[in-house]
């Protein structure tokens, strides 16, 4: 049987540790405060960071091209 929806990818979260400098920590806290004021929903900076990184990577055309090339080259080598 064929379904329109492909098999879902692995969605198991991967825990990573991140250290930031004090200025960035302050900016992230400010972002969380502005997020609260904007949406009326409180989110800790730690919860916002993954979405911020995803958004950044999705908007980086150079990264997308380089990543496709990286994976294309890797699949040719196997």
């Amino acid at each position: 049987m064929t379904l329109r929806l492909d098999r879902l990818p692995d969605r198991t979260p991967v825990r990573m540790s991140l250290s930031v400098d004090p200025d960035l920590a302050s900016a992230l806290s400010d972002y969380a405060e502005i997020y609260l004021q904007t949406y009326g929903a409180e989110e800790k900076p730690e919860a916002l960071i993954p979405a911020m990184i995803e958004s950044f990577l999705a908007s980086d055309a150079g990264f997308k091209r380089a990543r496709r090339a990286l994976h294309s080259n890797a699949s040719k080598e196997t």
Side-chain angles (χ1 to χ4, degrees):
M1 178 193 306
T2 302
L3 299 176
R4 287 183 161 230
L5 180 65
D6 288 337
R7 184 181 177 122
L8 295 177
D10 182 7
R11 296 175 292 168
T12 305
V14 176
R15 183 172 279 296
M16 297 181 133
S17 177
L18 175 68
S19 296
V20 298
D21 63 36
D23 288 340
L24 180 54
S26 177
L28 290 168
S29 292
D30 290 346
Y31 194 99
E33 178 60 32
I34 295 166
Y35 183 95
L36 171 63
Q37 292 173 9
T38 302
Y39 298 112
E42 186 172 2
E43 296 289 347
K44 293 184 178 183
E46 307 86 82
L48 295 172
I49 291 169
M52 293 170 149
I53 294 171
E54 280 185 47
S55 177
F56 174 82
L57 293 176
S59 68
D60 189 329
F63 169 71
K64 287 189 233 180
R65 281 191 301 275
R67 188 171 191 213
R68 276 193 302 272
L70 176 68
H71 289 283
S72 175
N73 292 336
S75 65
K76 290 177 186 177
E77 294 174 4
T78 57

